[in-house]
């Protein structure tokens, strides 16, 4: 399994807009991607820092998403973002998702 870890900084008071946009516009795109397994996102206590982790069956499918769909996702979220999200990725070494 492969994971993408996206660190996002939101504009102030935009967490609910981010959540709504993610659920309505981004998640449906993710669900259509080959190899997509799961997504978990959490925010810091101030509501401006979000970490979104997506799980994929393999690196090739995660990279295909990153190269083909992710740029559109960033555009979709642009109105709530403060800066450019930071993406890290790697092989999953432990997980309870089967």
């Amino acid at each position: 399994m492969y994971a993408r870890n996206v660190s996002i900084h939101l504009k102030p008071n935009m967490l609910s807009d981010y959540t709504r946009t993610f659920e309505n516009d981004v998640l449906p795109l993710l669900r259509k991607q080959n190899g997509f397994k799961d997504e978990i996102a959490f925010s810091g206590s101030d509501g401006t820092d979000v970490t979104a982790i997506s799980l994929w069956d393999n690196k090739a499918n995660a990279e295909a998403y990153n190269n083909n769909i992710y740029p559109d996702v960033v555009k979709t979220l642009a109105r709530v973002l403060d800066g450019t999200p930071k993406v890290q990725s790697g092989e999953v070494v432990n997980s309870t998702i089967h």
Side-chain angles (χ1 to χ4, degrees):
M1 195 174 338
Y2 200 77
R4 295 179 75 251
N5 180 344
V6 183
S7 299
I8 301 165
H9 189 71
L10 300 175
K11 294 175 184 172
N13 304 311
M14 287 291 184
L15 183 58
S16 62
D17 287 1
Y18 164 81
T19 302
R20 185 174 36 260
T21 303
F22 191 88
E23 288 177 6
N24 294 334
D25 300 326
V26 177
L27 200 50
L29 288 174
L30 279 169
R31 289 185 172 135
K32 293 178 185 176
Q33 302 310 302
N34 288 336
F36 173 73
K37 296 292 186 187
D38 198 15
E39 175 83 18
I40 184 170
F42 55 94
S43 69
S45 60
D46 65 358
T48 59
D49 292 309
V50 173
T51 300
I53 300 169
S54 59
L55 299 175
W56 300 81
D57 63 350
N58 61 52
K59 181 179 180 178
N61 285 330
E63 287 181 346
Y65 164 78
N66 190 66
N67 295 331
N68 300 317
I69 304 299
Y70 181 66
D72 292 332
V73 168
V74 173
K75 288 177 189 173
T76 299
L77 295 171
R79 65 182 182 80
V80 300
L81 298 178
D82 183 11
T84 303
K86 179 182 175 187
V87 179
Q88 296 178 300
S89 58
E91 293 292 331
V92 174
V93 295
N94 290 309
S95 173
T96 59
I97 295 177
H98 297 92

